Amino acid sequence: MNRIDRATKQALRERERKERSEGRRKPLEIAIPEFERRLEQLTRIHCVKYARRDWHEAAQRTLVEPSVKPHEKEQAARRALSNYRPGIIDSLFKLEADKRRRLAERVLEAAREDAALYAEARRAADTHNLDIKLAPGMLALDAETIETALQAHVRVSALAPVLEAMQISSPSHGKLTLYLDYLELDAMPDETCVAGEDGKPVFAPMPATQRHEIHLLNACSATLRAVVEVMSVAPVDAVEVLGRCHLFNPALGELEPFPVLHLKAPHEALVRMDLRRLEPVSAVTALGGRIDWEISRGMAPIRTDDLTVAIPVG
Protein backbone atom coordinates (compact mmCIF):
# COMPACT_ATOMS: atom_id res chain seq x y z
CA MET A 1 0.00 0.00 0.00
CA ASN A 2 1.48 3.34 -1.02
CA ARG A 3 1.66 6.55 1.01
CA ILE A 4 -1.34 8.11 -0.73
CA ASP A 5 -3.56 5.11 0.07
CA ARG A 6 -2.37 5.12 3.69
CA ALA A 7 -3.00 8.84 4.09
CA THR A 8 -6.46 8.49 2.57
CA LYS A 9 -7.44 5.66 4.90
CA GLN A 10 -6.06 7.49 7.92
CA ALA A 11 -8.05 10.59 6.98
CA LEU A 12 -11.22 8.52 6.65
CA ARG A 13 -10.66 6.97 10.08
CA GLU A 14 -10.03 10.39 11.61
CA ARG A 15 -13.22 11.75 10.05
CA GLU A 16 -15.13 8.75 11.41
CA ARG A 17 -13.85 9.52 14.91
CA LYS A 18 -14.96 13.16 14.64
CA GLU A 19 -18.40 12.07 13.48
CA ARG A 20 -18.72 9.41 16.13
CA SER A 21 -21.04 11.53 18.25
CA GLU A 22 -23.74 10.74 15.71
CA GLY A 23 -23.18 7.03 16.25
CA ARG A 24 -23.50 7.44 20.00
CA ARG A 25 -27.14 8.31 19.54
CA LYS A 26 -27.76 4.80 18.22
CA PRO A 27 -29.87 2.63 20.52
CA LEU A 28 -28.17 0.03 22.67
CA GLU A 29 -29.43 -2.88 20.57
CA ILE A 30 -27.57 -1.46 17.55
CA ALA A 31 -24.41 0.11 19.02
CA ILE A 32 -23.14 -2.85 21.02
CA PRO A 33 -23.75 -5.53 18.33
CA GLU A 34 -21.93 -3.30 15.79
CA PHE A 35 -18.93 -3.04 18.11
CA GLU A 36 -18.94 -6.78 18.81
CA ARG A 37 -19.30 -7.69 15.12
CA ARG A 38 -16.29 -5.57 14.17
CA LEU A 39 -14.23 -7.03 17.01
CA GLU A 40 -15.12 -10.56 15.94
CA GLN A 41 -14.38 -9.76 12.30
CA LEU A 42 -10.91 -8.47 13.20
CA THR A 43 -9.95 -11.35 15.48
CA ARG A 44 -11.96 -14.40 14.31
CA ILE A 45 -11.82 -14.18 10.52
CA HIS A 46 -9.73 -17.38 10.52
CA CYS A 47 -12.55 -19.47 11.97
CA VAL A 48 -13.36 -21.41 8.81
CA LYS A 49 -13.02 -25.04 7.81
CA TYR A 50 -9.92 -25.83 5.79
CA ALA A 51 -10.89 -27.99 2.81
CA ARG A 52 -8.72 -28.34 -0.27
CA ARG A 53 -10.19 -28.22 -3.79
CA ASP A 54 -9.89 -31.66 -5.45
CA TRP A 55 -8.17 -31.06 -8.78
CA HIS A 56 -7.97 -34.79 -9.54
CA GLU A 57 -11.77 -34.94 -9.34
CA ALA A 58 -12.09 -31.76 -11.43
CA ALA A 59 -10.00 -33.34 -14.18
CA GLN A 60 -12.60 -36.14 -14.49
CA ARG A 61 -15.63 -33.86 -14.89
CA THR A 62 -17.48 -33.00 -18.08
CA LEU A 63 -18.48 -29.50 -19.18
CA VAL A 64 -21.95 -28.33 -18.15
CA GLU A 65 -24.50 -25.64 -18.99
CA PRO A 66 -26.40 -23.54 -16.41
CA SER A 67 -28.96 -25.69 -14.61
CA VAL A 68 -31.63 -22.93 -14.55
CA LYS A 69 -33.76 -21.88 -17.51
CA PRO A 70 -33.32 -18.14 -18.25
CA HIS A 71 -36.97 -16.94 -18.11
CA GLU A 72 -38.95 -19.69 -16.37
CA LYS A 73 -40.57 -17.60 -13.61
CA GLU A 74 -41.17 -14.63 -15.89
CA GLN A 75 -42.95 -16.80 -18.45
CA ALA A 76 -45.19 -18.27 -15.73
CA ALA A 77 -46.04 -14.76 -14.49
CA ARG A 78 -46.82 -13.59 -18.05
CA ARG A 79 -49.14 -16.56 -18.52
CA ALA A 80 -50.93 -15.66 -15.29
CA LEU A 81 -51.36 -12.07 -16.51
CA SER A 82 -52.49 -13.17 -19.99
CA ASN A 83 -54.96 -15.74 -18.63
CA TYR A 84 -56.52 -13.42 -16.04
CA ARG A 85 -60.23 -12.91 -16.56
CA PRO A 86 -62.14 -10.76 -14.07
CA GLY A 87 -64.81 -12.64 -12.20
CA ILE A 88 -68.09 -11.34 -10.83
CA ILE A 89 -66.54 -10.12 -7.57
CA ASP A 90 -63.73 -8.32 -9.39
CA SER A 91 -66.21 -6.62 -11.70
CA LEU A 92 -68.64 -5.78 -8.93
CA PHE A 93 -66.03 -4.17 -6.69
CA LYS A 94 -63.95 -2.77 -9.57
CA LEU A 95 -60.88 -4.84 -8.64
CA GLU A 96 -59.81 -5.65 -12.19
CA ALA A 97 -57.37 -2.76 -12.63
CA ASP A 98 -55.72 -3.40 -9.29
CA LYS A 99 -55.32 -7.13 -9.95
CA ARG A 100 -53.91 -6.53 -13.43
CA ARG A 101 -51.44 -4.05 -11.94
CA ARG A 102 -50.31 -6.59 -9.34
CA LEU A 103 -49.97 -9.31 -11.98
CA ALA A 104 -47.90 -6.94 -14.13
CA GLU A 105 -45.70 -6.11 -11.15
CA ARG A 106 -45.27 -9.83 -10.57
CA VAL A 107 -43.96 -10.18 -14.15
CA LEU A 108 -41.23 -7.60 -13.42
CA GLU A 109 -40.44 -9.20 -10.07
CA ALA A 110 -40.23 -12.66 -11.67
CA ALA A 111 -37.90 -11.31 -14.35
CA ARG A 112 -35.55 -9.99 -11.65
CA GLU A 113 -35.69 -13.32 -9.81
CA ASP A 114 -34.96 -15.18 -13.06
CA ALA A 115 -32.01 -12.91 -13.77
CA ALA A 116 -30.54 -13.48 -10.30
CA LEU A 117 -31.06 -17.26 -10.43
CA TYR A 118 -29.64 -17.54 -13.91
CA ALA A 119 -26.63 -15.38 -13.04
CA GLU A 120 -25.92 -17.62 -10.05
CA ALA A 121 -26.32 -20.76 -12.16
CA ARG A 122 -24.13 -19.24 -14.89
CA ARG A 123 -21.40 -18.49 -12.34
CA ALA A 124 -21.60 -22.03 -10.96
CA ALA A 125 -21.36 -23.53 -14.46
CA ASP A 126 -18.52 -21.20 -15.44
CA THR A 127 -16.61 -22.11 -12.26
CA HIS A 128 -17.21 -25.81 -12.87
CA ASN A 129 -15.99 -25.55 -16.48
CA LEU A 130 -13.04 -23.33 -15.54
CA ASP A 131 -11.86 -25.90 -13.00
CA ILE A 132 -11.95 -28.60 -15.68
CA LYS A 133 -9.74 -26.49 -17.92
CA LEU A 134 -7.38 -25.56 -15.07
CA ALA A 135 -7.05 -29.04 -13.56
CA PRO A 136 -4.13 -30.33 -15.71
CA GLY A 137 -2.10 -27.18 -15.06
CA MET A 138 -2.92 -27.20 -11.36
CA LEU A 139 -1.81 -30.82 -10.99
CA ALA A 140 1.41 -29.90 -12.82
CA LEU A 141 1.84 -26.91 -10.45
CA ASP A 142 2.06 -24.54 -13.39
CA ALA A 143 2.59 -21.02 -12.00
CA GLU A 144 0.34 -19.21 -14.49
CA THR A 145 -2.48 -21.71 -13.98
CA ILE A 146 -2.20 -21.37 -10.21
CA GLU A 147 -2.40 -17.60 -10.56
CA THR A 148 -5.56 -17.90 -12.66
CA ALA A 149 -7.14 -20.29 -10.17
CA LEU A 150 -6.31 -18.03 -7.23
CA GLN A 151 -7.84 -15.04 -8.99
CA ALA A 152 -11.01 -17.07 -9.60
CA HIS A 153 -11.38 -18.69 -6.18
CA VAL A 154 -9.73 -16.62 -3.44
CA ARG A 155 -12.47 -14.70 -1.64
CA VAL A 156 -10.90 -11.27 -1.63
CA SER A 157 -14.09 -9.78 -0.18
CA ALA A 158 -13.54 -11.79 3.01
CA LEU A 159 -9.98 -10.52 3.41
CA ALA A 160 -10.57 -6.86 2.51
CA PRO A 161 -11.92 -5.78 5.94
CA VAL A 162 -8.98 -7.34 7.83
CA LEU A 163 -5.96 -6.72 5.57
CA GLU A 164 -4.56 -3.69 3.79
CA ALA A 165 -3.13 -5.74 0.91
CA MET A 166 -2.05 -9.22 -0.18
CA GLN A 167 0.40 -10.18 -2.90
CA ILE A 168 1.20 -13.73 -4.00
CA SER A 169 4.57 -14.66 -5.46
CA SER A 170 5.90 -17.92 -6.90
CA PRO A 171 9.68 -17.83 -6.35
CA SER A 172 10.17 -21.33 -7.81
CA HIS A 173 8.21 -24.30 -9.13
CA GLY A 174 5.61 -25.44 -6.59
CA LYS A 175 6.47 -22.68 -4.09
CA LEU A 176 4.18 -19.84 -3.03
CA THR A 177 4.92 -16.83 -0.86
CA LEU A 178 2.24 -14.54 0.55
CA TYR A 179 3.14 -10.94 1.27
CA LEU A 180 0.59 -9.40 3.61
CA ASP A 181 0.17 -5.79 4.68
CA TYR A 182 -1.67 -5.74 8.01
CA LEU A 183 -4.03 -3.09 9.27
CA GLU A 184 -2.25 -0.45 11.30
CA LEU A 185 -2.77 -0.01 15.02
CA ASP A 186 -4.66 3.17 14.12
CA ALA A 187 -7.31 1.01 12.43
CA MET A 188 -8.05 -0.97 15.60
CA PRO A 189 -11.01 0.03 17.81
CA ASP A 190 -10.04 2.80 20.23
CA GLU A 191 -13.19 2.65 22.37
CA THR A 192 -15.11 0.01 24.25
CA CYS A 193 -18.90 -0.10 24.20
CA VAL A 194 -20.98 -1.47 27.08
CA ALA A 195 -24.52 -1.09 28.41
CA GLY A 196 -24.99 1.72 30.92
CA GLU A 197 -27.34 1.72 33.90
CA ASP A 198 -29.87 3.76 31.96
CA GLY A 199 -29.90 1.23 29.11
CA LYS A 200 -27.88 3.44 26.78
CA PRO A 201 -24.53 2.50 25.26
CA VAL A 202 -21.52 3.79 27.19
CA PHE A 203 -18.28 4.44 25.33
CA ALA A 204 -14.91 4.56 27.05
CA PRO A 205 -11.35 4.91 25.72
CA MET A 206 -9.78 1.50 25.12
CA PRO A 207 -6.50 0.94 27.01
CA ALA A 208 -3.41 0.82 24.82
CA THR A 209 -2.62 -2.69 26.03
CA GLN A 210 -6.02 -3.93 24.84
CA ARG A 211 -5.53 -2.30 21.43
CA HIS A 212 -2.10 -3.95 21.16
CA GLU A 213 -3.70 -7.30 21.91
CA ILE A 214 -6.44 -6.81 19.30
CA HIS A 215 -3.79 -5.76 16.77
CA LEU A 216 -1.86 -8.98 17.37
CA LEU A 217 -5.01 -11.10 17.17
CA ASN A 218 -5.96 -9.38 13.93
CA ALA A 219 -2.56 -9.97 12.31
CA CYS A 220 -2.57 -13.66 13.25
CA SER A 221 -6.23 -14.22 12.33
CA ALA A 222 -5.83 -12.47 8.96
CA THR A 223 -2.69 -14.49 8.26
CA LEU A 224 -4.43 -17.79 8.91
CA ARG A 225 -7.41 -16.83 6.76
CA ALA A 226 -5.14 -15.76 3.88
CA VAL A 227 -3.28 -19.07 4.15
CA VAL A 228 -6.54 -21.04 4.10
CA GLU A 229 -7.85 -19.12 1.09
CA VAL A 230 -4.67 -19.80 -0.91
CA MET A 231 -3.99 -23.36 0.26
CA SER A 232 -7.61 -24.35 -0.39
CA VAL A 233 -6.99 -23.65 -4.06
CA ALA A 234 -3.29 -24.23 -4.74
CA PRO A 235 -2.17 -27.88 -4.35
CA VAL A 236 1.25 -26.97 -2.94
CA ASP A 237 2.85 -28.60 0.09
CA ALA A 238 3.12 -25.35 2.03
CA VAL A 239 2.98 -21.58 1.73
CA GLU A 240 5.39 -19.08 3.26
CA VAL A 241 4.04 -15.84 4.69
CA LEU A 242 5.76 -12.56 5.37
CA GLY A 243 3.53 -9.97 7.00
CA ARG A 244 4.34 -6.28 7.29
CA CYS A 245 2.93 -3.42 9.29
CA HIS A 246 3.68 0.29 9.44
CA LEU A 247 5.58 1.02 12.65
CA PHE A 248 7.26 4.16 13.93
CA ASN A 249 10.89 4.45 12.88
CA PRO A 250 12.67 6.77 15.34
CA ALA A 251 15.58 7.21 12.92
CA LEU A 252 13.23 8.77 10.34
CA GLY A 253 10.65 10.17 12.74
CA GLU A 254 7.79 8.60 10.77
CA LEU A 255 5.97 5.35 10.08
CA GLU A 256 7.39 2.87 7.61
CA PRO A 257 6.65 -0.79 6.77
CA PHE A 258 8.52 -3.44 8.74
CA PRO A 259 8.25 -7.25 8.65
CA VAL A 260 6.40 -8.26 11.82
CA LEU A 261 5.34 -11.88 11.17
CA HIS A 262 6.85 -14.82 9.35
CA LEU A 263 5.25 -18.22 8.95
CA LYS A 264 5.57 -21.44 6.97
CA ALA A 265 2.23 -23.21 6.86
CA PRO A 266 2.34 -26.85 5.66
CA HIS A 267 -0.76 -28.48 4.22
CA GLU A 268 -0.36 -31.50 6.50
CA ALA A 269 -0.39 -29.31 9.61
CA LEU A 270 -3.47 -27.37 8.50
CA VAL A 271 -5.36 -30.61 7.86
CA ARG A 272 -4.86 -31.60 11.51
CA MET A 273 -6.07 -28.23 12.81
CA ASP A 274 -9.65 -27.13 13.34
CA LEU A 275 -9.19 -23.39 13.02
CA ARG A 276 -12.82 -22.82 14.00
CA ARG A 277 -11.88 -23.80 17.55
CA LEU A 278 -8.42 -22.26 17.81
CA GLU A 279 -7.27 -18.91 19.10
CA PRO A 280 -5.27 -17.24 16.29
CA VAL A 281 -2.06 -16.42 18.16
CA SER A 282 -1.83 -19.98 19.52
CA ALA A 283 -2.42 -21.40 16.03
CA VAL A 284 0.30 -19.23 14.47
CA THR A 285 2.67 -20.15 17.29
CA ALA A 286 1.88 -23.86 16.83
CA LEU A 287 2.83 -23.49 13.15
CA GLY A 288 6.19 -22.03 14.14
CA GLY A 289 5.34 -18.41 13.40
CA ARG A 290 7.86 -15.70 14.24
CA ILE A 291 6.46 -12.61 15.97
CA ASP A 292 8.01 -9.97 18.21
CA TRP A 293 5.23 -8.60 20.40
CA GLU A 294 4.85 -7.26 23.90
CA ILE A 295 1.60 -6.09 25.41
CA SER A 296 3.10 -2.80 26.57
CA ARG A 297 4.46 -1.74 23.16
CA GLY A 298 2.69 -3.94 20.63
CA MET A 299 4.40 -5.37 17.55
CA ALA A 300 8.04 -4.79 16.66
CA PRO A 301 10.13 -5.69 13.59
CA ILE A 302 11.25 -9.33 13.46
CA ARG A 303 14.65 -10.70 12.50
CA THR A 304 14.82 -11.49 8.80
CA ASP A 305 18.55 -12.06 8.23
CA ASP A 306 18.13 -15.85 8.44
CA LEU A 307 15.05 -16.03 6.18
CA THR A 308 15.26 -17.18 2.58
CA VAL A 309 12.12 -15.29 1.55
CA ALA A 310 12.68 -12.09 -0.39
CA ILE A 311 12.11 -8.99 1.75
CA PRO A 312 10.09 -6.28 -0.05
CA VAL A 313 11.45 -2.75 0.05
CA GLY A 314 9.19 0.25 0.62
Side-chain angles (χ1 to χ4, degrees):
M1 183 174 61
N2 60 40
R3 291 177 181 272
I4 295 176
D5 290 338
R6 284 191 58 250
T8 300
K9 291 187 177 183
Q10 286 177 333
L12 289 173
R13 289 195 290 266
E14 186 59 32
R15 186 176 70 179
E16 185 272 334
R17 290 188 183 98
K18 290 179 180 178
E19 296 174 348
R20 203 174 279 167
S21 58
E22 295 293 328
R24 288 174 179 160
R25 289 200 286 269
K26 293 178 181 178
L28 183 69
E29 62 271 16
I30 295 177
I32 290 182
E34 280 185 355
F35 172 78
E36 292 175 344
R37 277 196 299 271
R38 179 55 177 159
L39 198 60
E40 181 170 353
Q41 183 183 53
L42 288 169
T43 62
R44 304 290 292 171
I45 197 72
H46 68 286
C47 294
V48 294
K49 180 178 175 57
Y50 173 60
R52 180 163 263 187
R53 194 170 291 270
D54 189 344
W55 293 105
H56 289 281
E57 183 272 334
Q60 305 301 316
R61 299 177 191 166
T62 56
L63 298 175
V64 299
E65 291 294 329
S67 58
V68 175
K69 294 180 180 179
H71 307 292
E72 190 171 14
K73 291 190 175 185
E74 181 186 359
Q75 289 170 351
R78 287 190 181 280
R79 283 195 298 272
L81 175 60
S82 177
N83 294 336
Y84 170 67
R85 300 290 183 272
I88 296 176
I89 299 297
D90 291 353
S91 300
L92 181 64
F93 291 99
K94 302 185 184 305
L95 301 176
E96 178 182 354
D98 184 57
K99 286 201 172 182
R100 287 191 183 279
R101 178 183 56 78
R102 280 184 287 167
L103 287 169
E105 289 175 350
R106 176 56 194 151
V107 171
L108 297 175
E109 182 183 351
R112 288 192 292 268
E113 291 174 1
D114 278 337
L117 288 171
Y118 184 76
E120 183 179 349
R122 178 79 264 176
R123 283 193 297 270
D126 289 346
T127 298
H128 175 97
N129 295 338
L130 176 64
D131 283 356
I132 294 172
K133 296 175 183 177
L134 293 178
M138 294 299 289
L139 295 173
L141 298 179
D142 175 71
E144 289 187 8
T145 306
I146 290 175
E147 181 181 359
T148 301
L150 291 173
Q151 290 174 348
H153 293 301
V154 169
R155 290 166 287 186
V156 177
S157 59
L159 296 170
V162 296
L163 277 176
E164 292 287 7
M166 178 174 76
Q167 184 178 9
I168 305 173
S169 172
S170 180
S172 61
H173 182 73
K175 304 292 183 183
L176 290 180
T177 301
L178 308 187
Y179 292 99
L180 306 179
D181 283 346
Y182 299 125
L183 297 178
E184 298 179 31
L185 180 63
D186 181 61
M188 297 300 107
D190 58 2
E191 289 183 330
T192 59
C193 181
V194 296
E197 293 181 0
D198 57 357
K200 296 181 179 179
V202 175
F203 295 85
M206 184 177 289
T209 52
Q210 188 175 354
R211 294 190 78 200
H212 292 158
E213 186 173 6
I214 293 172
H215 198 203
L216 174 67
L217 289 167
N218 169 242
C220 292
S221 185
T223 297
L224 292 168
R225 180 58 180 269
V227 166
V228 166
E229 289 292 330
V230 172
M231 292 282 284
S232 296
V233 178
V236 293
D237 294 333
V239 296
E240 190 167 9
V241 181
L242 186 68
R244 303 188 308 169
C245 188
H246 278 79
L247 304 174
F248 184 72
N249 185 346
L252 297 178
E254 62 181 29
L255 295 171
E256 68 169 313
F258 287 98
V260 295
L261 189 152
H262 176 261
L263 174 71
K264 287 184 178 180
H267 165 67
E268 292 301 327
L270 286 175
V271 168
R272 294 193 296 269
M273 288 181 163
D274 186 353
L275 294 176
R276 295 168 297 182
R277 299 175 177 271
L278 294 178
E279 189 268 343
V281 180
S282 299
V284 167
T285 302
L287 290 168
R290 179 182 297 184
I291 314 170
D292 186 349
W293 178 87
E294 292 179 6
I295 195 167
S296 59
R297 60 154 166 80
M299 288 190 283
I302 59 171
R303 280 187 54 213
T304 58
D305 57 324
D306 61 335
L307 300 180
T308 57
V309 63
I311 309 299
V313 178

